[in-house]
Amino acid sequence: MAALHSTAFRLGSVALSSRQELSFRRGNAKASAFSCSSSVSIPRLSFQSKALGGDGFPETKDSSLVVCFGEMLIDFVPTISGLSLADAPAFKKAPGGAPANVAVGIARLGGSSAFIGKVGEDEFGYMLAEILKENNVNSEGMRFDPGARTALAFVTLRSDGEREFMFYRNPSADMLLQEAELDLDLIRKAKIFHYGSISLITEPCKSAHIAAAKAAKDAGVVLSYDPNLRLPLWPSAESAREGILSIWDTADIIKISEEEISFLTKGEDPYDDAVVRKLCHPNHKLLLVTEGPEGCRYYTKEFNGRVKGLKVDAVDTTGAGDAFVAGILSQLAKDLSLLQVMPLTI
């Protein structure tokens, strides 16, 4: 999970940072025979958009709204960095949850965003709702569960550079969002609908997630997917792999890390373009691969390229991926034609 408080942004050429900056400027693009045949054989969902333009892109909406769907929770972060959870002397609370981070990031960049998800009818839930309000995020789609608590996560960055997580969800309110509680009107108003994979782990939230994505696709909304792998939350590694890939082909935009590529391909080299292309599908308009301080790679059907990262003194990379997604989506929501122009100049 990523903490909202640790995410910082600066405008300009969409340089974005969460204590570790990545910047999209003019990159080196090259034409690519971008194979869209996947070697991963897994049952997948299939949605069909009814609002496609002649170029295969969803028709432009007047709104630049980005609706983010999924979990919002409380992160407990050690007061002293570099220690394991067991060795930390104390913790401070911070708002977290990747989809909520992205919604706040977009709003801080001057964009229009909304969050759909469920928290407990408790002090933490009310605190999170207030934080969304303070950050100008539309929270009309937020729901409160009187019978379940807001999710909690303890997260630390150890001295060896590895992040450590411990979750309290037995079940938590975010897992109990039901299809009947969805604000479908809000979803259909969006230009981009963004989500992760954590909301696919258990019912009834899984069915709500699928229904929300279908409603968005049917309305011509662009689908954005960041798997945000959190293995401790899944029953097994195989169920995580199957769950993440089950909705892979329906997305228009996917952001993935090099570690997630290795996981999904069962250990193949994430820096090999041929390996990345195995994860490509004809429905995808843009596939982004983040590489931490090294920057990122981007792939479309016609082009692929690389953008170098900015050199900074990183304090804590928690939330860097969410900051990256927020920067990308805030620009695409203003002008989807950027998906058709290479090199990317967003």
Side-chain angles (χ1 to χ4, degrees):
M1 300 301 156
L4 296 172
H5 77 296
S6 69
T7 304
F9 301 89
R10 64 182 175 82
L11 295 169
S13 59
V14 186
L16 54 148
S17 160
S18 180
R19 312 260 174 93
Q20 173 181 3
E21 289 189 45
L22 297 175
S23 176
F24 260 84
R25 294 176 179 167
R26 185 174 295 274
N28 296 321
K30 58 183 179 181
S32 168
F34 191 42
S35 170
C36 290
S37 59
S38 173
S39 65
V40 183
S41 178
I42 291 192
R44 294 182 168 105
L45 296 173
S46 178
F47 304 149
Q48 181 167 352
S49 172
K50 63 182 179 183
L52 294 179
D55 55 7
F57 288 83
E59 293 178 352
T60 301
K61 291 171 173 280
D62 293 334
S63 169
S64 61
L65 175 67
V66 180
V67 173
C68 300
F69 174 95
E71 69 280 0
M72 189 175 191
L73 46 82
I74 299 293
D75 281 345
F76 284 93
V77 185
T79 54
I80 299 177
S81 61
L83 298 178
S84 69
L85 292 177
D87 292 332
F91 297 86
K92 58 184 178 181
K93 69 179 185 297
N101 286 349
V102 173
V104 170
I106 289 169
R108 289 182 180 178
L109 285 169
S112 174
S113 66
F115 174 76
I116 292 179
K118 201 171 194 180
V119 294
E121 197 173 277
D122 53 35
E123 289 303 310
F124 285 148
Y126 295 134
M127 184 192 88
L128 293 174
E130 186 62 26
I131 287 172
L132 291 181
K133 180 180 178 181
E134 291 171 355
N135 282 277
N136 298 312
V137 175
N138 182 324
S139 60
E140 293 174 8
M142 195 171 185
R143 302 292 180 257
F144 296 83
D145 195 305
R149 297 298 189 187
T150 300
L152 307 178
F154 288 79
V155 57
T156 187
L157 185 69
R158 300 194 311 240
S159 57
D160 60 5
E162 291 298 316
R163 286 190 295 175
E164 184 180 356
F165 296 92
M166 182 183 296
F167 300 94
Y168 286 80
R169 308 167 82 229
N170 292 310
S172 54
D174 61 292
M175 302 163 67
L176 301 178
L177 181 67
Q178 300 181 43
E179 182 178 346
E181 296 176 301
L182 294 173
D183 189 335
L184 295 177
D185 289 337
L186 180 62
I187 292 171
R188 293 178 182 125
K189 290 177 184 176
K191 181 170 283 186
I192 299 174
F193 182 69
H194 176 72
Y195 47 85
S197 68
I198 290 175
S199 47
L200 294 171
I201 297 174
T202 59
E203 293 288 1
C205 189
K206 178 179 178 180
S207 292
H209 177 136
I210 293 170
K214 184 179 187 305
K217 196 74 168 180
D218 288 347
V221 179
V222 171
L223 300 189
S224 168
Y225 183 26
D226 176 3
N228 194 37
L229 176 65
R230 294 290 179 264
L231 269 179
L233 295 177
W234 291 86
S236 66
E238 189 55 34
S239 66
R241 189 175 294 109
E242 291 183 4
I244 288 171
L245 291 173
S246 69
I247 60 169
W248 192 262
D249 296 352
T250 64
D252 298 294
I253 301 166
I254 293 179
K255 174 265 176 189
I256 191 170
S257 69
E258 69 268 42
E259 294 94 345
E260 289 165 337
I261 291 175
S262 294
F263 174 76
L264 294 176
T265 60
K266 299 184 178 181
E268 294 191 52
D269 182 3
Y271 302 101
D272 185 343
D273 283 346
V275 171
V276 178
R277 290 176 188 135
K278 292 179 182 180
L279 294 172
C280 173
H281 185 273
N283 289 341
H284 298 160
K285 308 299 188 297
L286 177 64
L287 178 66
L288 294 158
V289 180
T290 54
E291 299 178 351
E294 301 305 314
C296 76
R297 285 170 283 156
Y298 58 88
Y299 300 81
T300 73
K301 294 183 180 69
E302 292 82 21
F303 294 93
N304 69 286
R306 175 185 294 275
V307 179
K308 293 183 179 180
L310 298 179
K311 300 301 181 183
V312 300
D313 294 324
V315 176
D316 186 346
T317 60
T318 302
D322 302 329
F324 178 92
V325 172
I328 295 293
L329 297 186
S330 68
Q331 296 302 299
L332 290 177
K334 295 175 184 176
D335 185 4
L336 284 175
S337 69
L338 290 169
L339 290 170
Q340 302 166 264
V341 180
M342 300 299 292
L344 294 177
T345 56
I346 55 180

